[in-house]
Amino acid sequence: MDIWVIFKLLGSLALLMFGMKSLSEGLQKMAGPQMRLWLQRMTSNRFMGMLMGMLVTAAIQSSTATTLMTVSFVNAGLLTLGQAISVILGAHIGTTLTAWIMSAGFAGGDGGGGGVTQYVYIAFFIGIILIYMKKHKNFGDFLFGAGFLFLGLGTLKATGMDMHLEENPAVTNFFLQFTEGNIPYVFTILIFLLIGTVLTLCVQSSAAIMAITMTICATGAMPLELGIIIVLGENIGTTITSNIAALGANVSARRTAFSHFMINTLGVFWVLCLLKPFLSMVYAIAGTETNALLVLPTFHSSFNIANTLIMIWFVPQIEKIVCKVIKPKKEAEDEDARLSFISAGLMQTPELSILNAKKEIMVFGERCQRMFGFVRTLLHEEKGDEFNKLFTRIEKYEAITDNMEVEIAAYLNQVIDGRLSIESKTEIQRMLRVVSEMESIGDACYNLARTLNRKRNHTTDDFTEKQYEHISSMLELDDDALSQMNVIIKYGEQRYVDVNKSYNIEHEINNYRTQLKNQNVLDINNQLYGYQMGVYYMDLISECEKLGDYVINVIEASGIKEKKAYGF
């Protein structure tokens, strides 16, 4: 075989995979933020979840992206396991459109011939104009992806035909030994099922393996029935991607990924048990038993639709089974510095990875408020051992906030390097500033604890009752500010939030600080307490005022407008 034919085959396959990736990412960039909201909100029951999974997958042309997005939502606590299973079932129907698109591409003739393929050059021409216009760059990327996809399909088919595999004795004899009864039928099924699974796992693209299967079957070298078994293997292989992605996620995300594997595996099992009558139905629908470009997409669609319509009634049972198979690990201590919702495995869809970072920022805000609660307790702690334990805990939390800032920022910087919409890149820039300001809140809490520790270690004097009252009042205002900040971060996208409350608290903190600062000078002059005690006192008050400023910085960085607006 000519070495250049092999390179042409591999190159056309690479062109196909790049086209699928560019097409999917172009669609995700055009509809990414809205798509996340659609999928999150329209999953009120299993049938609505199935419908949304189907529509989203058909829109972005990637069941893997939909599945990873669903795993992300479960990981972030925005979807239940049952809702996620219904979305995945819908994705199985939506992905059937891909096979028909490839069938149309194969029908387009050779790489530069007629049919659908001849229009790719128009798509390239219009696409490059839109890309340079910048305003419609995402649609231009989509056109280029579609063009590369169909060009790759046409070239792949033409190259496959040029190879004349049906005339190669080694190839035909290999397949004949499986169809003429030399090997038991059960082993034949298992072998080709394994081939489809392994190839899909290696290439990480069921669409690419479907294209190869169509090419070989279209040449007549491989019997259609064996090609159908490979297609079933692809359905199992494609589930491994989501399971790999969920390895570093929480237990709910791992259960979601496993349910994907379980649904496809059960589907393959029942269709193999009914393979002969099922194939007869497929041939009747396709109107042919020999045309691979019709039979394979028809089988793919029939299998996925039938499997979804069967499995949708057993979502609660599937949920119970995966919960029994994948048990939760022992709860980590709250002082565990590891992140809970973001992992490198979910980076395959950067437009959707933003969601995980948002959830991690919510946890960051809650940890900052919890750390602040320790400071409030420390103020009134009199026992030496208990004081030291609590101070050590605050020190540990300060290290955790530093670590969270670094890891979330590193993750966001990786995401922003991906193919993102302008809106999503702007969103990430805001999120980077948010985590920086939250780390400053952690520093402010630690500075408050250090001031209390210095007072305890360097003087036997204590604050007056009035000073304790004023410090407690200031800490109460800061706690209110932190609570409102977390409400805005958590619910800003889901409902309107009144940011005036945060600004009012900030004004109250500033005014109170000024009042206490002036009163402190008078109290020292009146010898109500010593100068050094006044220094400790004002250090605490000033740090509380700084903490309030950091809270406002977080809110402003989140994109909140002056009156009422959605959160970041």
Side-chain angles (χ1 to χ4, degrees):
M1 185 182 296
D2 189 350
I3 187 66
W4 293 112
V5 174
I6 296 176
F7 279 121
K8 189 176 180 181
L9 182 67
L10 294 174
S12 59
L13 185 61
L15 199 62
L16 162 68
M17 293 175 66
F18 179 76
M20 282 295 298
K21 184 174 183 292
S22 298
L23 183 146
S24 177
E25 288 182 347
L27 286 165
Q28 286 184 50
K29 285 189 290 183
M30 286 190 286
Q34 294 81 4
M35 182 175 57
R36 294 198 300 266
L37 291 175
W38 295 340
L39 195 54
Q40 179 184 339
R41 292 174 180 174
M42 297 191 67
T43 51
S44 54
N45 58 62
R46 72 183 82 170
F47 299 101
M48 284 301 298
M50 182 183 73
L51 178 63
M52 285 311 301
M54 180 177 67
L55 294 178
V56 169
T57 304
I60 66 175
Q61 279 304 291
S62 175
S63 61
T64 299
T66 303
T67 303
L68 290 177
M69 175 168 52
T70 305
V71 171
S72 299
F73 282 177
V74 176
N75 193 49
L78 300 176
L79 285 182
T80 65
L81 178 57
Q83 290 172 327
I85 292 172
S86 65
V87 171
I88 290 172
L89 285 169
H92 291 163
I93 297 178
T95 194
T96 61
L97 183 61
T98 305
W100 289 105
I101 290 174
M102 289 192 294
S103 178
F106 277 122
D110 59 23
V116 177
T117 314
Q118 67 181 335
Y119 298 108
V120 301
Y121 303 103
I122 300 175
F124 289 146
F125 177 71
I126 297 175
I128 196 66
I129 294 175
L130 294 176
I131 287 172
Y132 278 101
M133 288 174 65
K134 292 186 178 179
K135 184 178 180 180
H136 303 289
K137 182 179 182 296
N138 293 338
F139 188 62
D141 289 339
F142 163 74
L143 288 178
F144 258 82
F148 282 129
L149 169 63
F150 284 111
L151 184 62
L153 287 169
T155 308
L156 185 65
K157 178 189 176 185
T159 306
M161 293 299 183
D162 291 341
M163 293 171 69
H164 299 292
L165 294 176
E166 73 281 5
E167 299 175 3
N168 188 319
V171 175
T172 55
N173 289 336
F174 173 77
F175 290 119
L176 281 174
Q177 64 181 324
F178 293 101
T179 56
E180 291 186 346
N182 296 333
I183 296 176
Y185 187 61
V186 173
F187 288 111
T188 298
I189 290 176
L190 292 176
I191 290 170
F192 280 85
L193 201 64
L194 183 63
I195 289 173
T197 302
V198 172
L199 287 177
T200 305
L201 176 60
C202 293
V203 179
Q204 288 288 293
S205 173
S206 59
I209 304 304
M210 172 67 85
I212 294 173
T213 307
M214 279 188 177
T215 301
I216 299 175
C217 288
T219 63
M222 180 168 65
L224 262 175
E225 189 168 336
L226 297 183
I228 285 170
I229 302 301
I230 291 178
V231 171
L232 289 175
E234 294 165 13
N235 276 270
I236 297 176
T238 194
T239 64
I240 299 177
T241 301
S242 57
N243 278 273
I244 293 173
L247 286 177
N250 62 23
V251 65
S252 296
R254 285 185 279 117
R255 285 171 174 171
T256 304
F258 182 73
S259 68
H260 186 207
F261 171 79
M262 181 178 167
I263 289 166
N264 280 22
T265 303
L266 288 174
V268 169
F269 176 77
W270 73 255
V271 84
L272 285 176
C273 293
L274 303 172
L275 188 58
K276 293 296 182 181
F278 195 85
L279 285 181
S280 298
M281 181 194 72
V282 169
Y283 294 145
I285 294 173
T288 178
E289 295 184 16
T290 57
N291 189 342
L293 301 184
L294 284 177
V295 172
L296 288 178
T298 302
F299 175 81
H300 188 249
S301 298
S302 301
F303 166 68
N304 280 285
I305 293 172
N307 192 45
T308 297
L309 294 179
I310 292 171
M311 295 295 175
I312 193 66
W313 300 102
F314 298 98
V315 169
Q317 289 75 17
I318 294 171
E319 187 175 358
K320 288 180 182 178
I321 292 172
V322 296
C323 287
K324 288 183 179 179
V325 173
I326 299 181
K327 299 185 181 298
K329 297 178 181 177
K330 291 182 179 179
E331 291 293 329
E333 290 187 5
D334 189 55
E335 284 78 4
D336 191 349
R338 291 175 298 177
L339 300 183
S340 304
F341 298 99
I342 62 177
S343 63
L346 298 177
M347 287 291 297
Q348 297 184 40
T349 52
E351 188 73 50
L352 308 173
S353 299
I354 296 172
L355 180 71
N356 290 334
K358 284 184 178 181
K359 188 65 177 181
E360 206 67 70
I361 289 173
M362 293 179 197
V363 173
F364 199 170
E366 290 167 359
R367 275 188 168 168
C368 286
Q369 187 165 15
R370 193 175 300 116
M371 181 182 181
F372 184 75
F374 297 151
V375 174
R376 296 182 68 183
T377 305
L378 192 70
L379 175 66
H380 301 286
E381 186 56 63
E382 296 180 358
K383 295 180 181 179
D385 290 342
E386 294 299 322
F387 183 97
N388 292 333
K389 287 180 182 179
L390 195 53
F391 181 74
T392 301
R393 195 175 191 187
I394 293 171
E395 280 186 315
K396 192 169 186 178
Y397 261 74
E398 200 276 335
I400 289 174
T401 59
D402 289 346
N403 180 70
M404 290 189 75
E405 180 203 12
V406 171
E407 291 198 24
I408 295 173
Y411 180 82
L412 289 172
N413 283 323
Q414 283 182 295
V415 175
I416 205 170
D417 287 337
R419 298 167 65 89
L420 291 166
S421 63
I422 295 174
E423 292 80 5
S424 293
K425 287 189 176 183
T426 302
E427 192 174 14
I428 288 177
Q429 293 291 349
R430 292 201 301 265
M431 293 166 73
L432 285 168
R433 187 182 165 204
V434 166
V435 295
S436 175
E437 296 295 342
M438 281 188 174
E439 192 276 334
S440 296
I441 292 174
D443 288 344
C445 292
Y446 183 49
N447 289 337
L448 288 169
R450 289 173 61 191
T451 299
L452 292 172
N453 191 49
R454 284 199 307 271
K455 180 188 80 71
R456 184 180 184 86
N457 293 334
H458 294 105
T459 182
T460 56
D461 295 336
D462 200 2
F463 293 130
T464 66
E465 187 176 335
K466 279 290 184 183
Q467 283 178 314
Y468 270 118
E469 182 181 327
H470 295 155
I471 295 169
S472 296
S473 297
M474 183 64 91
L475 292 175
E476 182 69 29
L477 287 172
D478 276 343
D479 193 56
D480 290 343
L482 286 167
S483 297
Q484 183 65 11
M485 177 194 77
N486 284 328
V487 166
I488 290 171
I489 290 174
K490 188 171 184 179
Y491 298 111
E493 281 188 344
Q494 301 173 27
R495 61 177 185 240
Y496 278 108
V497 289
D498 187 0
V499 298
N500 280 338
K501 183 176 180 180
S502 294
Y503 286 106
N504 290 338
I505 295 172
E506 167 63 8
H507 292 152
E508 192 173 349
I509 290 173
N510 290 340
N511 292 335
Y512 197 39
R513 185 275 316 267
T514 302
Q515 175 188 334
L516 294 179
K517 184 177 180 181
N518 294 333
Q519 186 64 43
N520 180 62
V521 175
L522 294 176
D523 290 345
I524 292 175
N525 290 337
N526 293 331
Q527 298 183 347
L528 296 180
Y529 46 81
Y531 178 81
Q532 185 58 53
M533 193 57 58
V535 171
Y536 291 136
Y537 172 60
M538 285 314 301
D539 281 349
L540 291 173
I541 298 300
S542 297
E543 200 63 48
C544 285
E545 191 275 332
K546 288 180 183 177
L547 192 150
D549 290 341
Y550 297 141
V551 170
I552 289 297
N553 291 343
V554 168
I555 293 170
E556 290 178 345
S558 302
I560 304 300
K561 303 302 180 184
E562 187 175 352
K563 295 292 183 183
K564 290 183 178 181
Y566 284 117
F568 80 102

